[in-house]
Amino acid sequence: MSTCSTSGARPVGALLAGGLGTWAGVRPALVAGACLLVVPCVVLARSPLRALRHMPGVAPASGDAA
């Protein structure tokens, strides 16, 4: 499902990026794209996933020292 949704979003993103590049110029479009690439990193850094050491609902292996 994830591959299908990301593959389907690529043409839409390309169309939006082309429109932004035409409307605002190439440099602002590239800066906007670079800023948007930082968003997932910020979301993951602020999420509780950083503290997750084991998969929820799965017992750790017997050799693990938690």
Side-chain angles (χ1 to χ4, degrees):
M1 179 68 183
S2 174
T3 303
C4 225
S5 62
T6 56
S7 295
R10 286 179 188 160
V12 175
L15 184 64
L16 290 173
L20 181 63
T22 301
W23 177 70
V26 175
R27 188 175 302 262
L30 289 173
V31 169
C35 290
L36 287 174
L37 286 173
V38 174
V39 171
C41 296
V42 171
V43 169
L44 284 174
R46 295 184 51 88
S47 76
L49 288 176
R50 292 184 65 198
L52 187 64
R53 297 293 178 242
H54 299 286
M55 194 67 140
V58 177
S62 60
D64 288 348

